[in-house]
Amino acid sequence: MPDSPDRPLVDRRRLLIDGPFGSADLEPIRRQLDDECARWGVPPRTRSVLALVATELVANIVVHCDGDGRLQVAMYRGRLVCQAFDRGPGIPRSHRAGWRPPSPSAPSGRGLWLARVFSDRFAVDSSPLGTTVTAMIEVRPPGPPDDPLDETLDAYDDR
């Protein structure tokens, strides 16, 4: 849809969840995101993608920043923009964060990679003052009935 001077840049649909976070908060955050996005009219498949991306980002805040951070999700011109903020030590070589899958034997390191893979756009801005990760997810209509992505997301939802 083309930009128009009559169209606002940001919808009024926005959800902000402040930490500190713990691992026990991941499921309630998934439910809160799902409920809010359902009210916004976001299709179930897109809500599942958002849940995966957002909880991986919050899990990183839990692991690397003792849970000190915040999560913001907003609708912006037909897109979900998910941002995770923290005041951790920063990510070395953040321009490379999440580009390569971790080794299958690695005990961790999948969070940013999964978030990047499932996002339509993804950016990491990091310094010694903290990190902001922005993931953009297009809000699309439901896919075809035999879409393999639906099976992948169903398996994630069953965790």
Side-chain angles (χ1 to χ4, degrees):
M1 181 177 251
D3 291 338
S4 163
D6 299 332
R7 188 167 185 218
L9 289 178
V10 178
D11 289 343
R12 297 197 182 272
R13 296 174 280 190
R14 184 175 79 113
L15 175 64
L16 181 63
I17 306 171
D18 283 317
F21 303 114
S23 57
D25 296 318
L26 297 178
E27 180 57 32
I29 288 170
R30 269 195 286 269
R31 282 195 308 271
Q32 186 176 3
L33 288 171
D34 190 65
D35 292 346
E36 191 67 25
C37 288
R39 281 191 284 279
W40 297 348
V42 176
R45 175 178 164 178
T46 306
R47 295 194 319 255
S48 292
V49 170
L50 174 66
L52 184 148
V53 169
T55 55
E56 290 297 338
L57 297 180
V58 171
N60 276 349
I61 292 172
V62 170
V63 170
H64 300 289
C65 303
D66 293 325
D68 186 23
R70 69 173 30 173
L71 178 71
Q72 176 178 280
V73 176
M75 270 299 237
Y76 178 80
R77 295 185 175 172
R79 298 172 181 95
L80 289 170
V81 179
C82 176
Q83 291 184 302
F85 310 91
D86 70 56
R87 293 205 188 318
I91 300 171
R93 296 185 307 274
S94 62
H95 64 284
R96 297 175 54 187
W99 277 104
R100 294 176 57 193
S103 161
S105 61
S108 64
R110 290 168 180 75
L112 288 179
W113 178 72
L114 282 170
R116 185 180 294 277
V117 165
F118 279 91
S119 299
D120 293 296
R121 293 188 185 165
F122 189 84
V124 178
D125 181 24
S126 190
S127 77
L129 300 175
T131 300
T132 300
V133 178
T134 304
M136 190 272 296
I137 301 165
E138 296 281 343
V139 177
R140 297 181 179 93
D146 296 333
D147 191 337
L149 181 57
D150 287 337
E151 291 175 23
T152 302
L153 293 171
D154 288 344
Y156 175 78
D157 288 338
D158 291 340
R159 296 196 316 181

